[in-house]
Amino acid sequence: PFDLVKVRLQTMKVTPGQAPPYTGAMDVARKVFAREGVRGLYKGMTAPLVGVTPIFAVCFWGYDLGKQWMKSIRGVSSDNELSLVDIGIAGGFSAVPTTAIMAPGERIKCVMQVEPPGSTRFQGGASDVVKHILKEGGVRSLYRGTAATLWRDGIGSFGVYEWLKRTLTPQGAALSPMAVVMAGGFAGVCNWLVAIPFDVIKSRIQTAEGAEVGKGMVTHAKEMLAKEGITSLYRGAGPAMLRA
């Protein structure tokens, strides 16, 4: 539900002089629930559920690969000898293989989440969305928004995560579960503080139709800043933080 609310906020178009479709996260949740019921809050859930296991498996494989790469560059043998910058670079590298799996799933999810209530276009669910996307522009269309996804996830939160784990663990003491939870949660929040503009642009690119199709990251950013202001690049930040 947090993700659906985030995407609805990110993709709504605001016309000067007119009231926006939604006034905030709670307004999105209320309207979706009233029009589409509880099921409406879980739109687009199929693709993330199918992809979550391989996505995280590849993410941590990429992270370990990145750390090995950094250790070979630094000439060290232990992860503890890597600096936080090294960890951050390794974490950023993990986004490269992860995006190859994540981008199509994000595209399918976002298209399903913004479909208006009462629409019969995707009655068959995710499979109908995939057929529509492939018919629209082939496999390339399925990967629309890949660059924005890579920028969003490439920023990474592994550096903050490792720093907090080290900070919250006294010298010589064992790492506590609470330190892991606190470090993970705070790292997620820090990541979204920087990544949210890329996520907003990604959502716009992946749900674009008609004349909007084909516009890149820079074009979307310029148009949003000119028409809707800088706050438009941070829409959905609240639900994203709560989800993190």
Side-chain angles (χ1 to χ4, degrees), residues 209-228:
E209 293 189 341
E212 295 292 308
V213 176
K215 291 181 179 178
M217 290 175 59
V218 175
T219 302
H220 273 284
K222 285 180 177 177
E223 289 184 356
M224 291 176 71
L225 288 170
K227 297 175 182 178
E228 304 173 55

Side-chain angles (χ1 to χ4, degrees), residues 81-93:
E81 295 178 90
L82 291 175
S83 70
L84 294 175
V85 173
D86 296 335
I87 294 292
I89 293 171
F93 175 79

Side-chain angles (χ1 to χ4, degrees), residues 102-166:
M102 182 177 285
E106 287 280 305
R107 171 93 157 100
I108 296 164
K109 171 184 71 69
C110 286
V111 169
M112 292 184 72
Q113 287 177 333
V114 300
E115 191 66 8
S119 171
T120 58
R121 190 164 59 151
F122 303 130
Q123 284 185 318
S127 61
D128 277 4
V129 177
V130 174
K131 290 175 186 175
H132 167 76
I133 292 171
L134 292 174
K135 185 178 179 180
E136 175 191 65
V139 175
R140 184 176 180 180
S141 180
L142 198 59
Y143 279 86
R144 192 200 298 169
T146 296
T149 305
L150 184 59
W151 274 99
R152 181 196 68 178
D153 297 339
I155 293 167
S157 54
F158 286 99
V160 176
Y161 176 62
E162 287 295 333
W163 170 68
L164 274 171
K165 281 201 306 181
R166 296 176 187 182

